[in-house]
Amino acid sequence: MKYGHFDDRNKEYIIQKPDTPYPWINYLGSEEFFGLISNTAGGYSFYKDASKRRLTRYRYNNVPTDAGGRYYYIYEKGEYFSPAWAPQKSNLDSYQCRHGLGYTIIESEKNLLKTEMKFFVPLGDNLEIHQIKIKNLSNEHRKIKLFSFLEFCLYDAEDDMTNFQRNFNTGEVEVDGSTIYHKTEYRERRNHYSFYTVNQEISGFDTDRESFLGLYNSFSNPDVLKTGESNNSIAHGWSPIGSHSLEIELNAGQEKEFIFQLGYIENKEEEKWESKGVINKNKAKKLISKYNSSDKVNKAFKKLSKHWEKLLSSFSIKHPDPKLERMVNIWNQYQNMVTYNLARSASYFESGISRGIGFRDSNQDLLGSAHMIPERVKKRIKDLASTQFEDGSAFHQYQPLTKKGNDKIGSGFNDDPLWLIFAVAAYIKETGDYEILKETVPFNNGKKATIFDHLEASFMHVVNNLGPHNLPLIGHADWNDCLNLSAFSEKPGESFQTVSNKDNSPAESVMIAGMFLTAGPDFVHLSRKMNKNKLAKKAEMALEEMKAAVNKYGRDDEWFVRAYDYYSKPLGTKDNKYAKIFIEPQGFCIMGGIGLKDGFAEKTLDSVNRKLNSEHGLMILDPTIKEYQINMGEVSSYPPGYKENGAIFCHNNPWIMIAETIIGNGERAFEYYSKIAPAYREDISKLHRTEPYVYAQMIAGKDAASFGEAKNSWLTGTAAWNFVAISQWMLGIRPDFDGLKIDPCIPAEWDEYTVIRKFRGCKFKINVKNPKNINKGVEKIFVDGKEIEGQLLKTHDKDESKVEVIMG
């Protein structure tokens, strides 16, 4: 069942039923101010950090779901309704929500009133705009009222939902004309406040939640809407809100427009006050005036649209399959930008409280955004490197507001260091900017270091932390946070990721070994570029030793072993009762070059297809674990078929897609791609539940009661890795240190496709023809009509070049 459709021309997903299987959301903002907005205007807003600078309140896991948001009510003659459907669940005559790139538009009709609400964050400023149009479709003159409503969060989102003995006494506001200022704690330790305003004279306001709603009412039936009159309440503690009431007269056929703004302001300490107890509003008034008319807002929206058009112009495909086009050209790259901005910090599944910017997460996300925002990627690499310890380990997360490591999670995830090599190599392959290696970024302890020093520390962290089989020690966990081989947790509520009941654990990870072999050759190349030839030779020897260890201890009969536990017993072998095969090492060991010469790679991938493939994608392990295994940790705490215990963990499906292209199996690679790509799952939206335009982290596996149901959408490394898999390995347009490598691996039935790829100042129009209908192989490449040797497009002075690729 479908709840809407794609509008590829306008780059929108149009939702036509408000009661979607789960709230389908979008993201507003692309710099420092962000908002999450659902298809019925739910969600919340924040500045930089969803934990420490939350502007509006949202209730996770609430009944009804999606409680809290940007609510508007239209009142007429004693009756009222919500033009966004929520929170009243209004019986609208028509409804549609258009989620676009950085904006959402909700349109509806009821009682011959047409409403359009456009929500977006303009570039360069810290505020959210709500552009609202109301049109009278009747033949009569009408008098209506428009009420706004949002609930202020007291900035620290965790404290806001727990510390009521304090918070119910601290709330403070000011009202000046049509602007409501939220200034809780501004009188003491804060130098920031938020505001909510409208560009019209108001007939009333409320800033106290109980006065607006009534103590025992919900958002759907506020007291104020029973009378149609605001109370002009001023919040003193309790729960501050922002609500305006506007009296509106509309002639027959007339439309009026209103601009609401929710913004964030910081003042210098010496400029905090206008007068005693009155906040300095100069910055706010200046910002408000910048967007206080339709012309100004329309100009800002056009600028936002051009911004996204430019970002998406770096890579696009023309192909007979519209689902492939919309994923590659629009939604996958859009999701890549959202994950770049927020890592795993703020979604409808991540509360924005417990997680900051992840070291592993962001380094992977950069793989999908380096072609769009290389300068911002460079800056993020430096931020990430600054959280690294001198021994190569790193804080697992850092807080975006302070850019300091998150002590709650700490370090000890032994895959983390290697992801920095992946990210830096990807950036250099994209830009050719080797100078980044010389840039100074201190270690976490303040010791001076270059980016290359950080990469050396990352590489050597593996070399210096090997176990009894010469395989990398796993630490708390590797990429699979739930494979906790040293936790041995027996207490409810203990964090599997931070508790370690087995000191000096010898548990090892074959997956990290595969990562080491995959990223290692890039480190060798960069070492030579830095004229560190002795280090390069040392690294090559370490790679050879690791390859030998994997070949000796990392293979089962028909696939790669996953790990060795605390007792040095292998996991992920045919002899295990559960979890005989895991997906992760199968992809990375083949990417690292293991098994390509002796046929073991083909045998491994046949095993993956036979044991892990399902109609909804590749499962992370099989068979699922049926009872808690104390030596395996959180992976065994999930019911069979969910999350790391046998779900289709979409993040690692692309590693198998890439492995399949390495051995030349284009059919299987694209089969796996199309099983989890959201546009291909749109027809089963009722089962899938989450948004049909962005990837989810996981889809319930075959042992789950809800096989095929997705969870944890939007913020997932699935986005970047699937873009890498489809763009670089299947379509075969792959950045390399010396140019753009052309190496497609596609289904044999594909006859032709064209890719536009901007690369190092040149726009390449690459037409790939497959006259012999093969999976892999390039016979000839012509650049501007001249045949070249090899498969590498070198950069040159031309702004544009036409490339013809003949497979064969």
Side-chain angles (χ1 to χ4, degrees), residues 101 104 136 168 174 246 270 314 481 512 534 641 738 760:
L101 306 182
T104 287
N136 178 9
F168 284 162
E174 286 183 27
L246 285 73
E270 64 273 17
S314 295
D481 281 323
I512 295 179
K534 286 186 179 179
D738 297 321
R760 300 186 191 177

Side-chain angles (χ1 to χ4, degrees), residues 103-137:
Y103 68 90
T104 287
I105 299 171
I106 300 176
E107 300 171 313
S108 66
E109 289 184 21
K110 186 172 177 65
N111 299 338
L112 295 177
L113 286 172
K114 180 179 180 181
T115 308
E116 177 186 293
M117 301 188 291
K118 180 187 290 182
F119 305 88
F120 72 98
V121 172
L123 293 172
D125 285 312
N126 297 322
L127 84 162
E128 189 175 293
I129 291 172
H130 308 169
Q131 184 180 24
I132 298 181
K133 300 176 184 178
I134 303 175
K135 185 174 184 178
N136 178 9
L137 300 178

Side-chain angles (χ1 to χ4, degrees), residues 462-473 506-510 512-514 516-517 541-554 564 568:
V462 176
V463 175
N464 295 330
N465 289 276
L466 300 177
H469 299 92
N470 265 356
L471 295 167
L473 294 173
E508 299 163 289
S509 168
V510 177
I512 295 179
F516 184 72
L517 293 170
M541 287 179 59
L543 291 170
E544 286 303 315
E545 290 170 3
M546 187 66 73
K547 190 175 290 187
V550 173
N551 278 322
K552 186 173 183 180
Y553 298 111
Y564 283 83
S568 288

Side-chain angles (χ1 to χ4, degrees), residues 373-637:
I373 49 166
E375 286 305 311
R376 292 180 67 190
V377 162
K378 182 178 183 179
K379 186 175 183 299
R380 178 61 59 79
I381 285 171
K382 292 161 76 172
D383 287 344
L384 290 165
S386 70
T387 70
Q388 189 177 30
F389 297 101
E390 193 176 350
D391 70 350
S393 61
F395 272 112
H396 199 48
Q397 300 165 8
Y398 74 85
Q399 292 303 133
L401 197 65
T402 63
K403 296 184 180 177
K404 299 296 183 183
N406 186 346
D407 287 319
K408 286 185 179 180
I409 302 299
S411 61
F413 298 80
N414 283 357
D415 65 308
D416 275 351
L418 288 173
W419 293 115
L420 187 63
I421 299 176
F422 279 88
V424 173
Y427 168 77
I428 295 174
K429 288 175 183 179
E430 183 64 38
T431 63
D433 176 21
Y434 285 98
E435 292 302 306
I436 188 177
L437 298 173
K438 302 174 185 176
E439 295 207 21
T440 301
V441 179
F443 286 109
N444 184 266
N445 62 4
K447 183 176 179 181
K448 188 176 179 180
T450 64
I451 288 292
F452 184 81
D453 292 332
H454 285 273
L455 299 189
E456 182 178 355
S458 293
F459 187 89
M460 296 310 296
H461 185 270
V462 176
V463 175
N464 295 330
N465 289 276
L466 300 177
H469 299 92
N470 265 356
L471 295 167
L473 294 173
I474 197 170
H476 283 312
D478 56 22
W479 171 89
N480 189 334
D481 281 323
C482 298
L483 189 62
N484 317 115
L485 304 184
S486 307
F488 285 72
S489 176
E490 295 183 284
K491 297 177 183 177
E494 268 185 341
S495 168
F496 285 100
Q497 276 76 57
T498 56
V499 68
S500 181
N501 293 326
K502 300 291 183 183
D503 295 331
N504 302 314
S505 170
E508 299 163 289
S509 168
V510 177
M511 181 198 163
I512 295 179
M515 286 179 61
F516 184 72
L517 293 170
T518 303
D522 286 344
F523 176 73
V524 170
H525 173 87
L526 297 176
S527 298
R528 292 209 165 94
K529 277 289 182 179
M530 295 292 288
N531 295 315
K532 294 181 179 288
N533 293 318
K534 286 186 179 179
L535 178 60
K537 289 181 180 178
K538 182 180 178 181
E540 285 179 324
M541 287 179 59
L543 291 170
E544 286 303 315
E545 290 170 3
M546 187 66 73
K547 190 175 290 187
V550 173
N551 278 322
K552 186 173 183 180
Y553 298 111
R555 294 192 189 197
D556 200 28
D557 290 346
E558 296 182 307
W559 56 80
F560 290 99
V561 173
R562 178 62 177 89
Y564 283 83
D565 69 8
Y566 175 77
Y567 303 106
S568 288
K569 293 180 179 179
L571 299 174
T573 78
K574 68 179 188 308
D575 295 327
N576 295 127
K577 181 179 180 181
Y578 303 123
K580 295 175 184 291
I581 179 171
F582 288 77
I583 198 172
E584 303 100 307
Q586 321 312 327
F588 264 109
C589 288
I590 292 171
M591 283 191 268
I594 302 285
L596 299 181
K597 294 180 180 178
D598 61 3
F600 192 73
E602 286 86 349
K603 183 185 288 186
T604 291
L605 292 173
D606 284 344
S607 298
V608 169
N609 184 261
R610 187 173 69 254
K611 293 184 171 294
L612 299 179
N613 196 8
S614 78
E615 63 183 287
H616 297 293
L618 297 169
M619 296 175 294
I620 193 171
L621 60 81
D622 188 74
T624 54
I625 304 165
K626 303 304 190 293
E627 55 265 327
Y628 181 54
Q629 307 288 307
I630 195 170
N631 66 313
M632 295 179 71
E634 189 173 8
V635 64
S636 64
S637 73

Side-chain angles (χ1 to χ4, degrees), residues 296-401:
K296 293 175 182 178
V297 167
N298 292 338
K299 185 177 179 181
F301 186 72
K302 286 181 181 177
K303 185 178 178 182
L304 180 68
S305 298
K306 288 181 180 178
H307 166 76
W308 280 106
E309 186 178 326
K310 181 180 179 182
L311 287 178
L312 299 187
S313 68
S314 295
F315 193 106
S316 62
I317 179 178
K318 185 176 180 181
H319 190 279
D321 183 352
K323 294 178 182 178
L324 179 61
E325 284 189 339
R326 66 178 58 119
M327 285 310 306
V328 172
N329 296 346
I330 306 169
W331 294 101
N332 196 169
Q333 295 191 74
Y334 179 48
Q335 189 177 4
N336 287 347
M337 283 304 306
V338 172
T339 55
Y340 168 85
N341 289 327
L342 299 173
R344 309 295 173 268
S345 65
S347 74
Y348 269 29
F349 299 91
E350 296 285 2
S351 68
I353 294 173
S354 59
R355 294 184 67 170
I357 303 296
F359 191 89
R360 171 204 300 148
D361 298 331
S362 270
N363 276 308
Q364 289 178 92
D365 294 339
L366 302 186
L367 305 180
S369 51
H371 67 293
M372 292 187 280
I373 49 166
E375 286 305 311
R376 292 180 67 190
V377 162
K378 182 178 183 179
K379 186 175 183 299
R380 178 61 59 79
I381 285 171
K382 292 161 76 172
D383 287 344
L384 290 165
S386 70
T387 70
Q388 189 177 30
F389 297 101
E390 193 176 350
D391 70 350
S393 61
F395 272 112
H396 199 48
Q397 300 165 8
Y398 74 85
Q399 292 303 133
L401 197 65

